[in-house]
Amino acid sequence: MMMIKLCGFGLSNYYNKIKLVLLEKQIAFSEELVYPSQDEALLARSPLGKVPFIETEHGCLSESQAILEYLEDSYTELPLYPRDAFQRAKCRELIQHVELNVELIARRLYKAAFFGGTASDETRTEVRERLELSLKGLSKLAKFSPYIGGNVYTAADSVAWIHFGLISMTTQKMYGEDFIAKYLPATADYMSMIGKRLHVQAVAADRANAMAEFMANK
């Protein structure tokens, strides 16, 4: 089997989501630095010019959740989904809530929070209302016992760790309040626990290096 090639850059949460999954599943892979663009050469590999994507023996695959599912189905030795069908669905449910109902909403403020952009009062109000509603919903699903879905580390933990920190920083910058801590009070201990995993530490270090390089070249 051809070694997986992970394409993207270390500041992307979704790149780091896949990188952490690859590491946790102990899948051999290489990395290629790729930035989003509409260059024809990139569009031939990623239909919308987005990252991350992976190269496999069968061709390229884009969209982080599709990639995660492919890796889980193809490399079964160290599963990141429960084997029980309902619990697998609950794991996917958590991922969907974190990414589509929380992170996708918070992302509307990233440019204003970190990259010198602006957000209108209307946008700030709308994002706040939707984030608070979504986090209240997530609080009903997240178990933190000790992992987000129960007593076993799953793909949902890889996803949650990747996104929670940035969402927390975003709401603190934009609203002066940590919405993650407010609506998911168990998160502090949870993030500390997850942060002790060797693969999480490796991804965190690489992300910090990518941020330092970005700021130096800004």
Side-chain angles (χ1 to χ4, degrees):
M1 184 177 291
M2 168 185 168
M3 181 183 290
I4 296 290
K5 180 184 288 185
L6 174 61
C7 304
F9 61 102
L11 285 184
S12 164
N13 270 6
Y14 290 89
Y15 178 89
N16 288 322
K17 164 188 170 179
I18 299 305
K19 185 173 182 175
L20 181 53
V21 166
L22 286 162
L23 290 169
E24 288 287 345
K25 291 179 70 64
Q26 298 182 24
I27 300 170
F29 70 101
S30 62
E31 297 180 76
E32 179 183 343
L33 180 63
V34 177
Y35 294 105
S37 81
Q38 293 300 296
D39 182 82
E40 287 299 326
L42 178 56
L43 293 173
R45 304 167 78 193
S46 176
L48 294 179
K50 295 166 56 177
V51 296
F53 62 91
I54 62 171
E55 287 189 354
T56 77
E57 61 178 334
H58 307 291
C60 293
L61 184 64
S62 61
E63 297 298 334
S64 68
Q65 192 56 30
I67 296 169
L68 193 164
E69 301 279 344
Y70 166 76
L71 296 173
E72 182 69 5
D73 291 341
S74 300
Y75 299 85
T76 58
E77 292 83 2
L78 296 171
L80 287 181
Y81 281 101
R83 297 196 182 278
D84 175 79
F86 183 74
Q87 292 306 317
R88 287 174 75 87
K90 294 298 289 184
C91 183
R92 292 187 175 100
E93 181 185 32
L94 277 166
I95 292 171
Q96 291 284 93
H97 273 278
V98 171
E99 294 198 330
L100 298 184
N101 298 332
V102 180
E103 194 280 334
L104 188 62
I105 297 169
R107 194 189 311 176
R108 296 176 61 188
L109 298 177
Y110 290 172
K111 188 173 182 179
F114 304 109
F115 302 110
T118 59
S120 67
D121 290 342
E122 181 181 5
T123 296
R124 288 163 56 94
T125 298
E126 180 183 351
V127 169
R128 178 172 194 142
E129 290 174 351
R130 293 185 63 191
L131 267 182
E132 291 186 318
L133 182 65
S134 294
L135 286 168
K136 288 177 184 177
L138 182 58
S139 71
K140 298 175 183 178
L141 294 174
K143 295 181 179 179
F144 300 120
S145 60
Y147 300 104
I148 195 167
N151 61 359
V152 177
Y153 183 97
T154 68
D157 293 291
S158 295
V159 170
W161 178 80
I162 288 293
H163 294 305
F164 280 171
L166 186 58
I167 295 167
S168 174
M169 289 189 291
T170 299
T171 61
Q172 289 181 73
K173 282 181 173 288
M174 300 302 293
Y175 305 109
E177 190 174 4
D178 184 344
F179 287 5
I180 295 291
K182 179 178 180 180
Y183 293 104
L184 301 169
T187 305
D189 289 341
Y190 167 78
M191 293 292 279
S192 176
M193 176 190 68
I194 298 295
K196 294 175 182 177
R197 297 177 73 88
L198 292 179
H199 296 140
V200 168
Q201 291 175 0
V203 172
D206 288 346
R207 182 173 60 184
N209 290 335
M211 175 60 77
E213 183 177 350
F214 171 81
M215 296 305 295
N217 295 327
K218 187 177 179 182

